[in-house]
Structures are given as C-alpha cells and as structure tokens.
Amino acid sequence: KWPPPPPNTLEHKIYHYTGRELACRPEFDISESYNQLFLKYFSMTPWFSFETLGNIANSIRRQHNLTRNQFLIISNMLVERKRAFFGDKRHFEILKQIFQIKDNEVFIDFPEPVTQYILTLINEMRNSQGKKIFFIITFNYEPIRNMLLQSGFIEGADFFDAGLLLSEDQGVRFNSNFIIRDM
C-alpha cells in the first residue's frame, strides 16, 4: 500500500506514462503517491537500467550547472542597479521577508487579471531607464515574459523570473520533469 494522495491534489483517473513528453505533462511531482507508485514499478522493468541511472545523474548535473549559471547572471544584473518587484500584494509580507524588500524599493501589485497591470509594469520599466532590475514573482510567468519581450525588454538584463530563486521552503514545489524527461 502507498499513502493516499493529499486531498484535492489528484483526480481519480488513469495516468498514462507512455513517453518522454507525456511523462512530463502535467508537472511530475515525485512526492505524489501515484507518481511514487509509477516510479516503484518502473524501477522493476527492463527499461530501468544502468543507462537510466546515468541519464538521471546527467540531468541533475545539467540542472545544477544551469542553476549556478542563473545565479551568476542574476549577480551580474544587480551590479549598480536597484531592485523593483512585480507580484501579488496579498503575499507581500512573506515576499518582503524572503527577498528582504526595502521600503524604498518599488513593489507593483498585480491583482487579477494581471494583463491590466502589465502596462503599469512596462511604464515603470521604461521610466527606470535601465537603472532597475525587475523581479517578476508569479506562478504564471510566461505570459508576462512574452509581453515584456514584445515591448522590447530583455530577459536576464531588464527582468527575470524571481520564482526561480524560491525553494520548497517558500512554497514552490520541486519540479522533477527534467529528471523524468531524461529517463
């Protein structure tokens, strides 16, 4: 027997793991009991081999190097620049603690729907004339990223996904898709 899933996290349905792409969609959370069961039985098949273990080790190594490179990019972005934040004000107190946000730093709130507040962000970014780096803190980063890119801003120079800096301790689940994809 495996532990039952936490309430409201998994629908009762048949899960199919039939290829690299399907195994990674939706997010493959190793802590979920159905995914643990899949991995348990997968490890008993002929497809789980020394090569699979090597692929997992290489995935972890690539992710480790990617993370270190991202920290270097962020470090370089912050040289002689001020920080500004774009996030949900409902989470401001916890974000203030995590990022040590100062009273003189800009925090742009984005109540739903976010698209209305993108224009405020874009105007603030233009007014900063490159003197600020914008930490985008949202679970739905891609649409905001795309709008900023279309507006002529550069990811990694003008803004970045600050969610990459958050860990499970701050409430961001570990995404193991990169490991599963390479198995």
Side-chain angles (χ1 to χ4, degrees), residues 102-180:
K102 308 293 183 245
D103 290 338
N104 64 344
E105 292 180 308
V106 173
F107 188 96
I108 301 168
D109 184 23
F110 67 81
E112 298 296 329
V114 174
T115 51
Q116 291 180 29
Y117 300 91
I118 297 289
L119 293 177
T120 304
L121 173 63
I122 290 171
N123 287 334
E124 183 70 32
M125 290 176 75
R126 286 189 177 132
N127 290 338
S128 82
Q129 299 176 346
K131 294 178 181 161
K132 294 179 185 170
I133 181 70
F134 287 79
F135 288 55
I136 310 299
I137 310 167
T138 176
F139 291 108
N140 198 12
Y141 176 75
E142 285 305 309
I144 295 169
R145 173 188 178 271
N146 293 338
M147 291 174 139
L148 294 176
L149 292 173
Q150 289 172 2
S151 297
F153 296 106
I154 301 168
E155 184 178 30
D158 299 314
F159 69 95
F160 74 100
D161 181 359
L164 295 172
L165 302 176
L166 301 177
S167 69
E168 288 180 304
D169 292 340
Q170 285 99 24
V172 177
R173 290 182 359 178
F174 174 70
N175 184 345
S176 55
N177 287 357
F178 72 96
I179 296 171
I180 302 302

Side-chain angles (χ1 to χ4, degrees), residues 31-70:
S31 67
E32 290 181 347
S33 56
Y34 291 127
N35 292 336
Q36 289 175 1
L37 185 64
F38 163 75
L39 289 173
K40 174 184 176 180
Y41 285 101
F42 174 69
S43 69
M44 296 177 189
T45 69
W47 293 277
F48 190 80
S49 64
F50 179 76
E51 181 182 352
T52 303
L53 291 174
N55 290 341
I56 292 170
N58 286 333
S59 292
I60 293 169
R61 182 179 295 111
R62 277 193 304 277
Q63 190 65 33
H64 171 77
N65 289 331
L66 176 65
T67 301
R68 288 187 176 255
N69 288 336
Q70 288 171 338

